[in-house]
Each structure stands twice: as C-alpha cells, then as structure tokens.
Amino acid sequence: MPHADSSQDPREAGHVHQETTGDLLMSAARSLRRAVWHSAGEWDVAPAQAKALGVVCREAPVRISRLAERLHIAPRSATEVVDHLQERGLVLREPDPVDRRATCVVPTEEGRRLQALLAESRRQATEGYLAVLDDEERAVLDRLVRRLVLAERPERA
Amino acid sequence: MPHADSSQDPREAGHVHQETTGDLLMSAARSLRRAVWHSAGEWDVAPAQAKALGVVCREAPVRISRLAERLHIAPRSATEVVDHLQERGLVLREPDPVDRRATCVVPTEEGRRLQALLAESRRQATEGYLAVLDDEERAVLDRLVRRLVLAERPERA
DNA sequence: ATCAGTTAGTGAGGTTACCTCACGATGAGG
DNA sequence: CCTCATCGTGAGGTAACCTCACTAACTGAT
C-alpha cells in the first residue's frame, strides 16, 4: 500500500519498456524543451516570449495578427505577448503604413541581440541533448521526424 | 509589408528545410499531442486529468503525494486534480489504512471505463499519426527516441 | 511517556498564459 | 453613402499551476 520507496515498486520496474513510440516521442520532446528552457535561464525569458521574439526578428515588420497566427494563439493574447516584449525593450510597435487599423512589431537592437543569444543557447542545448546519438542516427531521426512534420504541411514542401 | 497572403510569402517558402532536428522533434510531438487531445474530445477530459486518471488506474490505491510525483506537480496541485476527477465521479478518496495522515485515491468503475476508452483513443490517434512511416521506419524511430529517453533515466533500464 | 522533527493533505491567496466578447477606428466594395 | 469586414485592444474570465501556513498524524530518540 505505501509508496515510500518507489525504486522498489515492481509496478514501475519495466515502465520504459511498456512505453509506446508515441509516448517516447512526446517524452523526448518534453525533455528537449526542458533542456532548451533551462539553457536560456539566465535571460529569464518565457518560452512563448522567446518564440515570439524569434518570429518578430525573422519576419519584421510583423503584424500582431500575423504573430498570433504563427504562435497559434488568439490575437488578443498576441497583444499581451507584445506588451511584455515591449516592456522589456525588446520590440517596438509602429503604425502599419498601408493600413491604419494595423500595428507592426519590430525588434529593437537589444531584441535582436537577445534573440541571437537565445538562438545560440537553444542550438547548444539541442546539440547536447542529441549527443547520445551518433551522426548517422541523428540524420535518420531528422529524416523520420521531418517526414512526420511534412505529412501535415505538404504545401510547405 | 502586408501579410495578407502567407502562401506567397517567400520568407516562409523554405521554412521546413531550415528547421533543425530538435525543432522538428518538438513539432512532431506537439502535433501528436494535439491529435491525441483531439481524439479524446468527446469525453471532455483535460490532458492533465487524463494523465492523472491513468496513474490512478494503474497504481491504485495511490496517495496524493505519489500522484503529484508522477505528474511532476506540487502536492497542492495534485489535490485539485483529484478534486476535479472526484467531482466527475471518476475517482474516490479513501483513508490510507496504514497512515492516518494520508489519503488514497482509487478509480470508480466509471473512472476505469473512461480510462480504457481514453487509452484506446490515444492508441488509435498515435497509430494514425505514425501511419506515414512504414513498419521499419517506426521501429527505427522507436529505437532512437527510446535511446534519447533512456539516456536520461538509465536507472530505469 | 514525552518531545522534537518530519510528513501528509489542504485552505488561502497568488500568478501566468491563455480565452471570449465587445468596441472604436479603419478599410473595401457596391 | 452605406454595409460589412478587419484590426488591435479594453474588460472580464478561466485553467492550471504555485507558495505559504496550518492541523493532524507519524517517527525516532531519550
């Protein structure tokens, strides 16, 4: 009845072997996300904000509605993401010159610098996480997960 | 400047090709999570509740503190998860016979039935998502992601 | 038996990150 | 001009987590 010593609990002993490929895929991704999140710890940037900053730097000037699409969130929520980034001096709002209803978001110099640091830390964390696989295995994994992702967005091939 | 027609935006054309293995892994997992979530839509169960119900059914009777460990959340939060499951008649709280401070959570018949349905729907959604890969590719993917996961929990091998 | 330290669950209060609805300003097309 | 649609955001809300504090109960030493 008590679960004081989980390392002796027979119900867990073979747990990894019972996990399906799907479970493992999600588990691996979760671990990678944690590694990436942890690697960016010194800059205190939430994942959603980091992602938004990345979109802004890549697609500037970008409308808030467009940012919402890219982040898969409601436009109202994208407003708040931009609020936070702007508060930190990482982005600016500018009027859209061709449509006065719209607002364009652009990165500041500081925003671009932070984005570059975050991208590098993300790259290193990923590299470290995948280091358990050799070059060929990584190439195979890349091919397989790319297949999965492309199957969902064939128009992007 | 305007992004009205994103399918014509050259900045996105080669996007998938620029994505790293890590990005793709996380993207694939996200899509799988969405597929699983969507497949369970008719039962209106949040992912966290589904996961908790699974733990309760597998390890019953299970203490709330143990459940919190398994869910990687604070015990206080596990209390609320159990509250919600109990409100839906899916689990019951019982006194722990060996420690009067503790509470054990057990599934109801309805809870077990729903868990079985959720597990099957999860299995089917995963199967569907991975169908784009042939048997051998799936086996390779399984092996690779299992390597990644085991590298993190070697004591569970 | 007593006591100090620890454990278990939960009330109280809080935060984050999302959401819907509604609204004013603006644009497109008839 | 008018109707309908678009854009961003104010107002208000929820889910899912958290910390802190507390009471009840347990453990082990004396």
Side-chain angles (χ1 to χ4, degrees), chain A residues 1-3 6 9 11-34 36 51 58-63 66 69-70 72 96-98 104 122 126 129-134 137-138 140-153 156-157, chain B residues 1-3 6 9 11-34 36 51 58-63 66 69-70 72 96-98 104 122 126 129-134 137-138 140-153 156-157:
Chain A
M1 202 70 82
H3 303 286
S6 58
D9 193 334
R11 277 175 291 192
E12 294 182 26
H15 217 67
V16 174
H17 303 295
Q18 295 165 26
E19 290 186 78
T20 66
T21 307
D23 292 332
L24 292 166
L25 177 63
M26 289 189 277
S27 186
R30 183 168 52 241
S31 299
L32 177 55
R33 281 200 309 275
R34 266 197 311 247
V36 169
K51 186 172 178 185
R58 266 194 311 277
E59 308 192 12
V62 61
R63 288 192 187 178
R66 175 67 182 150
E69 280 173 28
R70 296 304 304 273
H72 302 295
D96 188 323
V98 298
C104 288
R122 180 186 183 93
T126 302
Y129 182 68
L130 297 178
V132 67
L133 306 178
D134 65 36
E137 287 173 324
R138 260 180 288 193
V140 172
L141 178 62
D142 184 272
R143 189 166 58 78
L144 294 177
V145 289
R146 197 174 297 270
R147 283 278 303 282
L148 292 174
V149 173
L150 281 179
E152 275 197 304
R153 6 174 170 152
R156 297 290 176 81
Chain B
M1 201 68 81
H3 303 286
S6 59
D9 192 334
R11 275 174 295 191
E12 295 181 26
H15 217 66
V16 174
H17 302 295
Q18 293 165 27
E19 289 184 80
T20 67
T21 309
D23 292 332
L24 292 166
L25 178 64
M26 289 189 278
S27 187
R30 182 167 52 241
S31 299
L32 177 55
R33 282 201 306 277
R34 268 200 308 250
V36 168
K51 188 174 177 185
R58 265 194 313 277
E59 308 191 13
V62 60
R63 287 192 189 180
R66 175 66 184 151
E69 280 173 28
R70 297 302 307 271
H72 302 295
D96 187 322
V98 298
C104 287
R122 179 187 182 92
T126 302
Y129 182 67
L130 297 178
V132 67
L133 305 179
D134 65 35
E137 287 174 323
R138 261 181 289 193
V140 171
L141 178 63
D142 183 271
R143 189 166 59 76
L144 293 177
V145 290
R146 198 174 296 271
R147 284 279 302 284
L148 290 174
V149 172
L150 281 178
E152 273 198 306
R153 9 173 169 151
R156 298 289 175 83

